[in-house]
Amino acid sequence: MRQSLVTLAVAAAFATPAMATLADPTPAPATPVIQGEKKVVTSADQMPRRNYKLAKLPSELLDAPKSELAAVVDALDKDLANDLATLDIRDRATRTGLIGLRAQIALFRGDYAAAQAFLRDVRSQQEKEADKLTSGVMMEVVAGSLAAGGTPEAHRARVKADLAAKWGAMPWAVVGDNLKGAKGQMELMSKNVVVGSFRTNLDPMAKNLNLDVPAPIIGALVGTRNAFDYVMPVKDDAVAVLQALVDGKQVAKADNWTPRLVTLAPDAKGTPVVVGIWDSGTDVSLFKAAGKPGIAFDKDAKPVSALVRPMGDAEKRLPQLKQFVKGSMDLRAAIDSEDARALKKHITSLKPEEVKQFQEDLGAVGMWVHGTHVAGIAVEGNPFARVTAVAMHWSSDTVPQRPTEETAARTAASFKAAVDHFRAAGARVVNMSWRYGPTFYEGALAYHNVGKSPEERKQIANRIFAIEKQALHDAIAGAKDILFVAGSGNEDNSADFSQYIPAGFELPNLITAGAVDQSGTETGFSTFGKTVVVHANGFEVVSYMPGGDKTKLSGTSMASPQVANLAAKIFAMKPDLTVAQVKDIILKTAERNGRVNLIHPRKAMMMAGHMK
């Protein structure tokens, strides 16, 4: 939640498919090491950056003849093939992202056999059980049916039958969440929304860059055209197949999470413990507040007073926006609720010119909800918890802020002020459910046409990011009596390959958490890597919105405060324990299953001496 969801979406268009984490605050080396015939790439910073010249604005190319895109698509595919042949990319998400883009290009060209081969290659490299079964299956089925030819009616019938056979044969307990999520995404597909998004986000950037745009915009064009041409015609059939599976196979997963939880009795011999929520704004009034309730900063990292994010003009639309937040989670869970139906109806009725306001509203309400939701998780079952907050009111504008060394210096100062506040408030635990890396700034710099080339833009982004990274690293490292807990990220990438902060730091007083569902299975979105040392439930977690209403949210943002919750309970019952001791208890009692290391609050409290 470092920036608005909209800003992140724009920035992500210019990032390499995965972004990495450095334990050290200094930037990664820019030159890959050579091993054998391939160059070893261990950081997103080492991936090539390229621009391609468009003939028209991106939105205009969505319906233009394919011939108008052919030259840039061919150039991109040649570069992708060369990268895969010459680079030993040590991040699965980045590597399969390149292969997946080649699959999209093959489909765009009508080379259905090549598209299927690329999609199978991507699936073979997946690491999560559900992804090993579901990745790319729908597009592979569509490509196979297109290769068989025949009438549109015959094509639709084949696709529907093949999807029913393939999806139906998969173990629902493994793939159910993935397939329910896919159903929700397809139900929200709208050409008007996509066109409006291109006009709002990508067209202005392309104009600023004189149509010489970064490679991911070409990928977005190809993928979007494929969605229009090949997915939308069979969308209703695919949704019907998935609905039948939901109706016929809906079996609740085993709950391996709830039995682990501990609730402290109000009359237990506990000590008040201050829990810090460093987030996008928190309604502290819903909880027992610390002596120092909090401080806040606006989108320019300047001090302000409001701890709950101001909604501005969107305040009058807040009741509807809250309904959309709830509806989005119901759609993801394949629940046909009034909230889900309202969201579907609204999105499918949007006109392109209405998309900008809708995107900014969603970004604003997402950040309005986020910090309070996190806080509710962090203090659940702990009558001794006292909340203090640092609110970062990041921008929800579709136009990203232009990063400069001046803004970085203000951000760096706000990081120091935040940690100083937590120390003054007596916080023992601080939750940080946000992260970002230099590639986010590359996107914003590209939008504003800063830098003469993609490589220069990368260097500027690294320089700006390094100021903030160093400040955050030093502030956390200097607060040795506070245990900081960070969410790893929701990009299904390797934290070792990104430069995310704070998730990428390795510090004695920091724990980074990934997300599992209630069964203990790693979620499809959760970022992983060597700095991700524990996992907790981050799937459809119920907690508060400002004002007291409740909703479900998913993300490593919801997993991280589960870890903070456990740490706060240990500190409440055993206040003399040090940060190192509490961290050690959490790690030693976590249970390893593959790369998942699931915390066990009950065992941790027993090891701390609170329970028998």
Side-chain angles (χ1 to χ4, degrees):
M1 298 291 293
R2 167 63 177 86
Q3 299 163 310
S4 76
L5 301 181
V6 175
T7 303
L8 294 185
V10 174
F14 311 98
T16 49
M19 293 157 283
T21 317
L22 290 179
D24 189 276
T26 56
T31 307
V33 253
I34 297 178
Q35 179 171 306
E37 297 181 357
K38 289 189 174 185
K39 295 179 179 179
V40 176
V41 176
T42 58
S43 166
D45 188 60
Q46 299 167 350
M47 290 298 296
R49 271 70 164 168
R50 301 185 181 93
N51 276 14
Y52 299 86
K53 187 75 173 182
L54 294 177
K56 296 179 178 178
L57 290 173
S59 68
E60 295 172 339
L61 288 167
L62 289 175
D63 289 315
K66 286 188 175 182
S67 58
E68 295 190 24
L69 265 174
V72 291
V73 169
D74 288 347
L76 173 60
D77 193 42
K78 181 179 178 181
D79 289 334
L80 292 171
N82 182 68
D83 288 345
L84 289 164
T86 60
L87 302 178
D88 180 5
I89 303 168
R90 297 295 175 87
D91 174 50
R92 190 273 313 157
T94 300
R95 190 172 60 251
T96 57
L98 301 186
I99 300 168
L101 185 47
R102 294 207 72 196
Q104 291 285 355
I105 290 172
L107 189 61
F108 176 82
R109 291 170 170 163
D111 189 349
Y112 305 127
Q116 288 179 299
F118 286 132
L119 290 166
R120 286 192 291 269
D121 189 6
V122 169
R123 190 159 60 250
S124 72
Q125 296 187 45
Q126 296 301 318
E127 295 160 326
K128 297 176 180 178
E129 290 304 312
D131 295 343
K132 291 177 182 178
L133 295 171
T134 62
S135 176
V137 165
M138 181 170 175
M139 292 307 296
E140 188 180 345
V141 165
V142 169
S145 179
L146 289 168
T151 65
E153 292 75 18
H155 168 62
R156 283 186 58 183
R158 267 197 310 267
V159 168
K160 187 172 184 179
D162 287 350
L163 287 177
K166 288 183 180 294
W167 284 337
M170 296 177 187
W172 186 257
V174 176
V175 304
D177 289 336
N178 275 23
L179 296 185
K180 286 188 289 186
K183 175 179 176 289
Q185 288 176 349
M186 280 189 280
E187 288 178 295
L188 293 178
M189 286 182 72
S190 162
K191 187 170 184 177
N192 278 347
V193 169
V194 174
V195 171
S197 296
F198 268 65
R199 290 176 182 172
T200 297
N201 299 323
L202 300 187
D203 283 0
M205 183 177 301
K207 288 179 183 177
N208 293 343
L209 291 168
N210 299 313
L211 301 183
D212 190 29
V213 301
I217 286 188
I218 311 303
L221 277 165
V222 171
T224 301
R225 290 197 54 140
N226 286 345
F228 288 169
D229 293 344
Y230 304 125
V231 177
M232 284 191 172
V234 298
K235 179 187 75 170
D236 291 343
D237 300 302
V239 168
V241 169
L242 291 170
Q243 185 63 59
L245 290 173
V246 169
D247 293 340
K249 294 195 173 188
Q250 189 72 288
V251 178
K253 280 188 172 184
D255 185 355
N256 296 320
W257 175 252
T258 304
R260 296 168 175 255
L261 300 180
V262 173
T263 297
L264 300 182
D267 60 354
K269 294 181 179 180
T271 301
V273 57
V274 177
V275 180
I277 307 298
W278 193 348
D279 214 286
S280 57
T282 302
D283 186 352
V284 176
S285 69
L286 295 177
F287 315 105
K288 294 177 182 177
K292 295 179 181 294
I295 60 173
F297 299 89
D298 67 10
K299 63 184 178 66
D300 298 311
K302 296 178 180 178
V304 291
S305 59
L307 294 182
V308 178
R309 177 188 173 84
M311 288 295 288
D313 182 63
E315 183 76 34
K316 60 190 176 187
R317 296 182 291 277
L318 191 53
Q320 183 184 46
L321 293 172
K322 289 166 65 176
Q323 184 181 36
F324 291 163
V325 170
K326 295 177 181 179
S328 66
M329 290 305 301
D330 286 345
L331 275 176
R332 180 175 187 161
I335 297 172
D336 184 26
S337 68
E338 180 183 346
D339 296 331
R341 290 191 294 273
L343 177 61
K344 285 191 288 186
K345 181 180 179 181
H346 185 79
I347 287 182
T348 54
S349 67
L350 281 174
K351 299 174 182 178
E353 60 270 21
E354 297 171 329
V355 170
K356 180 178 185 292
Q357 179 187 293
F358 181 64
Q359 287 184 333
E360 291 182 341
D361 281 356
L362 284 185
V365 76
M367 288 185 280
W368 180 80
V369 169
H370 195 268
T372 304
H373 196 276
V374 164
I377 300 169
V379 303
E380 177 70 20
N382 187 354
F384 306 103
R386 306 291 185 266
V387 172
T388 187
V390 170
M392 313 293 285
H393 299 315
W394 296 303
S395 174
S396 60
D397 294 342
T398 54
V399 176
Q401 292 175 273
R402 178 174 175 170
T404 65
E405 292 190 24
E406 180 183 0
T407 61
R410 284 202 303 270
T411 299
S414 75
F415 288 164
K416 181 180 184 302
V419 174
D420 286 346
H421 166 77
F422 287 128
R423 295 175 76 175
R428 301 298 307 274
V429 185
V430 170
N431 187 81
M432 308 169 72
S433 287
W434 51 271
R435 77 274 171 252
Y436 67 105
T439 48
F440 291 80
Y441 284 161
E442 283 187 62
L445 291 169
Y447 188 100
H448 294 286
N449 195 16
V450 176
K452 297 178 182 178
S453 67
E455 186 63 30
E456 182 179 349
R457 193 172 296 129
K458 180 183 75 173
Q459 297 302 325
I460 295 171
N462 282 342
R463 189 164 60 247
I464 292 170
F465 176 71
I467 296 169
E468 300 174 10
K469 181 178 182 180
Q470 188 71 58
L472 184 61
H473 178 277
D474 291 350
I476 294 174
K480 300 183 186 299
D481 292 332
I482 299 175
L483 179 61
F484 293 83
V485 186
S488 64
N490 303 323
E491 290 73 45
D492 185 25
N493 58 345
S494 169
D496 300 324
F497 199 80
S498 84
Q499 293 174 309
Y500 280 172
I501 58 173
F505 294 144
E506 286 184 306
L507 290 166
N509 60 332
L510 174 71
I511 297 177
T512 296
V516 296
D517 61 21
Q518 286 196 329
S519 73
T521 301
E522 191 174 15
T523 62
F525 55 77
S526 185
T527 289
F528 45 89
K530 73 175 184 179
T531 60
V532 183
V533 293
V534 293
H535 292 77
N537 180 34
F539 189 72
E540 297 181 2
V541 182
V542 177
S543 186
Y544 294 97
M545 294 191 278
D549 287 348
K550 288 189 172 184
T551 190
K552 294 179 293 185
L553 291 179
S554 295
T556 59
S557 287
M558 285 65 248
S560 174
Q562 306 273 16
V563 181
N565 177 295
L566 172 55
K569 286 173 179 171
I570 297 174
F571 278 127
M573 302 314 297
K574 299 292 179 179
D576 293 335
L577 291 178
T578 65
V579 164
Q581 288 171 325
V582 171
K583 180 176 178 178
D584 187 59
I585 289 169
I586 292 172
L587 294 178
K588 282 185 175 177
T589 55
E591 294 181 345
R592 174 72 63 179
N593 182 14
R595 69 181 181 192
V596 169
N597 195 30
L598 186 59
I599 65 168
H600 201 307
R602 187 165 293 275
K603 288 186 176 180
M605 296 301 290
M606 290 173 64
M607 186 174 179
H610 171 60
M611 299 173 61
K612 296 181 180 180

